[in-house]
Amino acid sequence: MAKTRPGLSAAKPKPGKKDLDMYTIRGTSKIVRVGDCVLMRPSDTGKPPYVARIEKIEADSRNNVKVRVRWYYRPEESLGGRRQFHGAKELFLSDHYDVQSAHTIEGKCIVHSFKNYTKLENVGAEDYYCRFEYKAATGAFTPDRVAVYCKCEMPYNPDDLMVQCEGCKDWYHPACVGVTIEETKKLDHFMCSECSEDDVKRSQNGFHASPVSDTKGTALMAALRYAILLLVASLIASFAEERAIYLVLMEGEAVAFHSNIQLQHGRKFDPQSEASKVHAKKLVDSHDQVLQSTLETGSYNKLYSFKHVINGFAVHTTPSQAKKLKQASGVKLVERDRRTKLMTTYTPQVLGLPQLWTQPGGDRNAGEGIVMGFVDTGIDPWHPSFASYGLANPFTSVISNFSGACQAGPQFPAFSCNGKIVSARFFADGAQASAPLNATVDILSPFDVVGHGSHVASTAAGNNGVPVVVNNFYYGRASGIAPRARIAVYKAVYPTIGTLTDVVAAIDQAVSDGVDILTLSIGPDEPPQDTVTFLSVFDIAMLFARRAGIFVVQAAGNQGPGPSTVVSYSPWAVSAAASRTDRRYPASLILGNGLNVTGVGLTAPTIGNGSLLYRLVLAKDALNFNGRFPRTAEYVEECQFPEALDPNVVRGSIVICTFSAGFNNGTSTLTAIIDTARILGFMGFVLVANPNYGDFIAQSIPFSVSGTLIPKVADSKIVSQYYEQQTLRDARGFVRQFNARAAIGDGRVASFGAQSPIVSRFSSRGPDFIDINRNPADVLKPDILAPGHEIWAAWSPRSVLDPILNGYNFALLSGTSMATPHIAGIAALIKQKNPSWTPSMIASAISTTATKFSNNGDIIMAEGFEVGSLYPSTHFDSGAGFVNPSRAMDPGLVLPSEFEDYISFLCSMPNIDRFAIRAATGVWCGQSFGHPANLNLPSVTISALRGSLTVRRSFKNVAAKSETYPHREPKT
């Protein structure tokens, strides 16, 4: 998330304005015009002035002058923060525009090009330089690379004099290219060895790229410089590029599938056997040999060797070195790393699990003997959801096929693996290579400082009956879907960054350890750029995990409700979509005229629980007129800054804050409103929708002070109308008397019986696609619908990415990340009852027994783009339908598909090169299905039907008795 400045927001244009040619800075004689760069006063006097470029100057009818500006960001304000190759006077030209009072301009400054900046004799306080344009919303740069190292391997430092090649635009230390600093200052042109090689050849043939100076010393210097550059050409080419992480697949079987290593019970292998160790060492040695024989010494850093489920490695190197790897003997595939992102007191009852738990042992047995692996942000081992039961109910089952490890580290001692948590590891080499980590939050241990990993693990396998208490209010008891399952933790995502490299390494290790279920409530932040979706290294890792007998479930993504927004593509991973349950937490604002306005928020009522009414004050009617602060939305309307409000007016009042520009562009937060309320002593707050911005989306989250959100414009107008009717104003519009009264109702008491399930608005939709151009695929995605909206589960009190949840042990979250562990837990229960079932049989049972209908008997509905809108869902919204675990235990028939079938599926796709399939999977196309829709899935998806097509399915009877299934002709 890009950092943005507090106190700055876009203003809505008003009529009666006129453009100005210039403006004289207040208190000075300096004139600024459009195109000038200026220093602007920040709201926090302890911060340096902001730098902006003036795009427009205008005055309103009262001659108040405002400027439209485009902001420059300092490196520390960008995603990733300041790095060693960012200079002290460097700025990034952002895409963040704003309108500010001209009075906030403090002075003029100059933003140079870097080339001109390096030639300044004396750098003044007003001198800056800019090399990049920066997209504040995404953190992307243009250009998207910078030379971080010179040939000497010393870091690039723009605060020292550097020399830039006019061809490739890379920068070098003068000494490294054979010139002095003084000589560098005199150079008008410079070409590096690669770019000047042709010029040198032409020079030898009597041709010159530029006139030769008649100064003997200069000519001698140039000749010497060219000679030196030619000698170090290859080194410079390596170190001038910015490094990246590359995932590499090699020829040869991984340990799990090597012919000399026998699988146990048809799926698991023993990584500690002598044969496994010998083959693993052979693979690692082959990785090192390829790197040493192909790449230049010092040009790379190997991060991981993948050897258990896939054969390959991850390397941190330059693009030019990666190109060499593609040509190396034994290398099948080279893929650039992508980033990853993070995609129950009540849901067990929604799914009917208490009845399911009535089998022998009940919840004391549900999931017993099953190990669930979680690749996520780690786990909080101190949480009661993961406590060992102790002697009263010990873990008696011996998990003979599992062999994990407990990696101790900060906040995670060795005894954190307590029997409930049977293994915990962390993977950070990719993260450390990609960005500077923050030691205070990027903890190098399995400990979870985010909360996401703990939430996911407890939803699937948390202990049963754990009290949920937040802000001293008891919400009920939480339980995982399979509360007796064991937990294996693989931390691979960090607050600063997450890489697929670390995730793939975690998957490789989880298969080696012997997990039964692999839960991925994380995923790539974009489709692969250079390959089809099914053949990315990440998807291939999941394919081979499936081949090893691991049930893999993945979050569908949170980019709905648009079509083809899923980030889970492959048929060998079950993709979970998210839905609402029938539970709601209604909140309310009680007005003095007796009207109750519906709100959102887990809030305690104001004192008196609605029987006592308090003064109702609109924030912009309570401004501190003696304060010095920008008159922007964050200050005036959105209650972001205590200094903007008159404490004598707001103390003990319910304050109306308005959703405006700051919330619309993501710079304002509920946390800031709560802090303001606490500092100034509000009785409570109300955040109301703004007609200028429309309805907003509100989630039920806990407030530490009384407050409620009113996200609908229609409801906010009711509040506004009542307030204006009761408020007395003078002729200038200032309030003389606040007569409006209100109270905030209790928003923590749940109600039940609402229509459900409903596909959540954010849940990513199909159709599935095969490439970045979103060409459709013959696979149904998502696969299944599960509860994922407002789910209570364990949380880490550190909560470093969500300050509003800081200090809480539980959180009510929404996302397909929350739906995924529901499916994982159900798969664990099915596996426990049917230990011989393959992953495809479990997936089939879940899909064929799902329901298409809601609790009122109608087709499941889905939320649309408009807030509050619903439409009848399709299979591209909900997959097979809403999961029904009780029926999934005994589906009668299943549709199995195994590794060879997935290869045949890939070979049946017309748009996939067979050599690419061989490179990714190691298997040649020997058999095709004729059409990819013939893959034996519990669904039929045909992306482009011309005429008619016959598809085939094979069923296996898994019922305890003979069953008859009548055939019904389809209706015409």
Side-chain angles (χ1 to χ4, degrees):
M1 180 182 296
K3 296 181 181 178
T4 49
R5 301 174 175 78
L8 306 176
S9 64
K12 194 173 183 66
K14 297 179 180 180
K17 295 181 179 179
K18 60 179 180 180
D19 293 344
L20 301 179
D21 295 326
M22 65 184 70
Y23 170 75
T24 302
I25 301 175
R26 176 183 282 186
T28 74
S29 59
K30 293 182 179 179
I31 295 174
V32 293
R33 294 180 172 83
V34 172
D36 287 345
C37 293
V38 294
L39 302 171
M40 304 194 75
R41 183 171 58 252
S43 57
D44 185 347
T45 56
K47 291 184 176 181
Y50 299 139
V51 180
R53 189 172 72 193
I54 297 177
E55 302 288 322
K56 187 177 184 180
I57 307 173
E58 60 185 13
D60 60 19
S61 57
R62 296 185 179 182
N63 209 31
N64 294 315
V65 181
K66 293 194 174 184
V67 288
R68 175 175 170 79
V69 297
R70 184 176 181 183
W71 293 109
Y72 284 93
Y73 276 53
R74 289 184 168 85
E76 57 267 24
E77 297 169 321
S78 68
L79 190 66
R82 177 178 290 278
R83 303 185 189 180
Q84 58 190 159
F85 53 85
H86 292 147
K89 301 300 291 291
E90 182 163 13
L91 300 171
F92 306 151
L93 181 60
S94 79
D95 59 349
H96 182 179
Y97 292 85
D98 208 348
V99 175
Q100 287 284 286
S101 169
H103 298 331
T104 60
I105 298 176
E106 291 185 343
K108 293 180 68 173
C109 62
I110 303 173
V111 180
H112 304 270
S113 70
F114 190 39
K115 184 174 183 178
N116 290 340
Y117 179 83
T118 61
K119 295 183 178 298
L120 294 177
E121 289 295 331
N122 296 300
V123 176
E126 72 283 0
D127 290 311
Y128 298 88
Y129 67 86
C130 177
R131 294 180 291 165
F132 302 102
E133 290 192 16
Y134 176 72
K135 293 186 180 299
T138 64
F141 287 90
T142 304
D144 61 357
R145 62 184 291 274
V146 63
V148 182
Y149 294 92
C150 180
K151 80 171 184 69
C152 63
E153 300 188 48
M154 293 299 292
Y156 171 92
N157 182 4
D159 291 331
D160 292 336
L161 184 64
M162 307 286 285
V163 58
Q164 185 185 31
C165 172
E166 295 183 355
C168 64
K169 304 301 183 184
D170 285 334
W171 292 85
Y172 304 100
H173 297 118
C176 296
V177 291
V179 293
T180 66
I181 292 177
E182 291 304 318
E183 290 169 340
T184 301
K185 289 181 178 181
K186 296 177 182 178
L187 286 176
D188 291 325
H189 305 283
F190 171 72
M191 299 285 281
C192 73
S193 60
E194 286 192 350
C195 297
S196 63
E197 187 173 3
D198 291 339
D199 288 343
V200 174
K201 290 179 180 178
R202 284 194 296 268
S203 172
Q204 293 171 344
N205 291 319
F207 296 98
H208 300 278
S210 59
V212 179
S213 171
D214 57 359
T215 303
K216 182 177 179 181
T218 303
L220 180 62
M221 181 199 75
L224 180 61
R225 171 164 55 84
Y226 281 132
I228 295 174
L229 287 173
L230 285 172
L231 288 174
V232 300
S234 61
L235 285 175
I236 292 178
S238 169
F239 290 110
E241 300 173 276
E242 184 175 9
R243 297 189 182 195
I245 299 175
Y246 294 88
L247 298 161
V248 181
L249 293 184
M250 297 282 293
E251 295 282 359
E253 294 278 22
V255 174
F257 313 111
H258 188 56
S259 58
N260 293 334
I261 299 171
Q262 299 297 318
L263 298 181
Q264 301 173 3
H265 305 296
R267 70 169 192 88
K268 293 191 176 181
F269 69 101
D270 180 9
Q272 301 305 318
S273 71
E274 190 61 30
S276 293
K277 291 180 179 178
V278 169
H279 189 61
K281 183 178 186 303
K282 180 181 177 182
L283 294 180
V284 173
D285 290 345
S286 70
H287 303 163
D288 293 338
Q289 183 178 359
V290 166
L291 287 167
Q292 292 167 7
S293 62
T294 307
L295 305 187
E296 296 161 5
T297 303
S299 68
Y300 68 91
N301 177 30
K302 189 182 80 168
L303 304 179
Y304 296 106
S305 273
F306 309 128
K307 51 189 180 292
H308 302 301
V309 66
I310 56 175
N311 175 20
F313 55 87
V315 61
H316 191 223
T317 189
T318 63
S320 61
Q321 297 295 297
K323 287 181 181 179
K324 294 181 181 180
L325 275 176
K326 291 182 180 181
Q327 308 302 320
S329 175
V331 171
K332 300 189 302 181
L333 176 68
V334 177
E335 178 185 313
R336 186 164 178 157
D337 183 83
R338 290 172 285 156
R339 300 293 180 255
T340 58
K341 60 182 177 183
L342 306 175
M343 304 272 163
T344 59
T345 57
Y346 178 57
T347 46
Q349 283 77 8
V350 172
L351 299 173
L353 292 175
Q355 290 74 30
L356 190 61
W357 290 345
T358 57
Q359 61 183 324
D363 63 82
R364 293 165 57 88
N365 184 57
E368 184 68 60
I370 302 297
V371 179
M372 304 185 69
F374 299 90
V375 180
D376 216 291
T377 63
I379 198 167
D380 179 0
W382 316 113
H383 199 283
S385 291
F386 313 120
S388 175
Y389 278 107
L391 297 177
N393 188 20
F395 290 98
T396 56
S397 176
V398 177
I399 308 174
S400 58
N401 293 326
F402 182 81
S403 57
C406 199
Q407 282 186 278
Q411 303 181 49
F412 203 93
F415 58 80
S416 300
C417 297
N418 56 8
K420 176 65 175 178
I421 302 172
V422 293
S423 181
R425 305 177 187 265
F426 68 96
F427 302 82
D429 288 355
Q432 290 177 305
S434 298
L437 299 187
N438 183 343
T440 61
V441 297
D442 297 310
I443 306 298
L444 296 183
S445 81
F447 185 78
D448 181 15
V449 298
V450 174
H452 188 272
S454 301
H455 198 282
V456 170
S458 67
T459 301
N463 292 333
N464 182 48
V466 179
V468 178
V469 178
V470 176
N471 289 330
N472 299 316
F473 185 83
Y474 173 72
Y475 285 92
R477 292 183 179 273
S479 173
I481 302 299
R484 285 292 291 178
R486 309 305 200 277
I487 293 172
V489 178
Y490 302 89
K491 180 176 176 179
V493 181
Y494 295 81
T496 294
I497 197 170
T499 68
L500 280 182
T501 292
D502 290 332
V503 171
V504 171
I507 293 173
D508 191 57
Q509 185 62 57
V511 175
S512 175
D513 289 346
V515 301
D516 297 287
I517 313 292
L518 190 60
T519 310
L520 299 170
S521 283
I522 58 174
D525 57 7
E526 61 181 356
Q529 298 285 328
D530 302 323
T531 185
V532 297
T533 53
F534 303 140
L535 298 183
S536 72
V537 174
F538 177 55
D539 281 74
I540 292 300
M542 291 190 289
L543 170 63
F544 281 94
R546 184 77 168 253
R547 183 185 182 187
I550 314 300
F551 181 88
V552 181
V553 57
Q554 186 184 7
N558 296 338
Q559 300 175 30
S564 291
T565 50
V566 290
V567 294
S568 174
Y569 314 109
S570 298
W572 44 83
V574 174
S575 173
S579 73
R580 286 183 176 269
T581 69
D582 72 337
R583 180 185 62 193
R584 303 288 189 271
Y585 285 99
S588 62
L589 178 68
I590 305 162
L591 299 178
N593 60 5
L595 290 177
N596 277 19
V597 181
T598 301
V600 177
L602 301 177
T603 178
T606 49
I607 297 172
N609 198 16
S611 61
L612 298 178
L613 301 179
Y614 299 88
R615 181 169 58 183
L616 189 63
V617 175
L618 184 65
K620 62 183 178 181
D621 286 335
L623 292 182
N624 181 1
F625 289 103
N626 295 323
R628 295 185 61 188
F629 54 85
R631 265 47 178 181
T632 58
E634 290 95 332
Y635 286 85
V636 175
E637 297 181 280
E638 295 182 333
C639 307
Q640 298 294 293
F641 299 95
E643 64 267 28
L645 300 175
D646 186 341
N648 297 319
V649 176
V650 299
R651 186 179 297 114
S653 302
I654 295 175
V655 179
I656 302 173
C657 312
T658 305
F659 184 102
S660 194
F663 280 103
N664 189 59
N665 63 31
T667 60
S668 295
T669 67
L670 286 172
T671 302
I673 292 181
I674 292 171
D675 290 343
T676 298
R678 187 182 295 110
I679 291 170
L680 296 181
F682 292 7
M683 179 55 63
F685 73 89
V686 184
L687 178 63
V688 299
N690 187 333
N692 293 330
Y693 294 96
D695 298 346
F696 65 87
I697 298 171
Q699 298 286 333
S700 293
I701 55 177
F703 299 148
S704 56
V705 299
S706 292
T708 193
L709 313 178
I710 299 179
K712 295 184 178 181
V713 169
D715 291 332
S716 72
K717 286 182 177 180
I718 294 173
V719 177
S720 177
Q721 184 177 12
Y722 166 73
Y723 176 80
E724 291 300 333
Q725 288 174 347
Q726 300 297 317
T727 302
L728 297 180
R729 300 181 183 274
D730 62 20
R732 298 174 300 168
F734 295 117
V735 175
R736 293 175 51 199
Q737 193 169 344
F738 294 98
N739 293 327
R741 298 293 184 266
I744 295 173
D746 198 330
R748 303 168 299 180
V749 180
S751 67
F752 302 92
Q755 181 181 357
S756 73
I758 296 174
V759 182
S760 299
R761 182 181 187 272
F762 57 77
S763 186
S764 288
R765 310 308 210 251
D768 193 11
F769 52 93
I770 65 171
D771 55 32
I772 196 169
N773 296 319
R774 285 175 163 73
N775 290 307
D778 298 292
V779 175
L780 179 62
K781 290 293 174 181
D783 291 276
I784 194 71
L785 184 66
H789 199 107
E790 296 187 350
I791 304 300
W792 279 115
W795 193 248
S796 171
R798 288 288 304 276
S799 190
V800 298
L801 295 182
D802 292 285
I804 200 168
L805 300 176
N806 186 267
Y808 295 153
N809 287 312
F810 288 91
L812 189 71
L813 298 186
S814 299
T816 53
S817 284
M818 285 64 251
T820 302
H822 282 86
I823 299 302
I826 292 167
L829 297 180
I830 297 174
K831 183 71 176 178
Q832 180 190 15
K833 182 182 178 182
N834 307 283
S836 64
W837 283 17
T838 65
S840 66
M841 295 168 69
I842 296 173
S844 173
I846 290 173
S847 290
T848 58
T849 57
T851 179
K852 297 183 295 182
F853 302 100
S854 66
N855 57 359
N856 62 9
D858 296 329
I859 290 290
I860 293 172
M861 302 297 284
E863 294 180 330
F865 281 99
E866 296 298 324
V867 178
S869 64
L870 297 176
Y871 64 89
S873 68
T874 70
H875 291 297
F876 295 132
D877 303 311
S878 60
F882 188 69
V883 65
N884 187 327
S886 297
R887 292 180 60 196
M889 294 294 162
D890 184 18
L893 299 175
V894 294
L895 294 89
S897 54
E898 304 309 330
F899 177 75
E900 294 76 13
D901 299 312
Y902 297 128
I903 299 299
S904 296
F905 158 78
L906 292 171
C907 296
S908 303
M909 301 194 69
N911 297 322
I912 299 184
D913 179 76
R914 296 195 171 200
F915 290 99
I917 297 172
R918 167 67 175 82
T921 67
V923 181
W924 286 108
C925 287
Q927 182 178 356
S928 167
F929 285 142
H931 192 283
N934 282 316
L935 178 61
N936 206 42
L937 296 175
S939 61
V940 177
T941 305
I942 303 172
S943 60
L945 180 62
R946 294 179 178 86
S948 63
L949 177 69
T950 300
V951 296
R952 295 174 175 83
R953 290 294 183 269
S954 299
F955 295 85
K956 181 177 182 178
N957 187 358
V958 294
K961 60 184 185 301
S962 298
E963 296 182 343
T964 302
Y965 295 86
H967 170 69
R968 295 179 180 176
E969 291 291 337
K971 295 180 180 180
T972 58

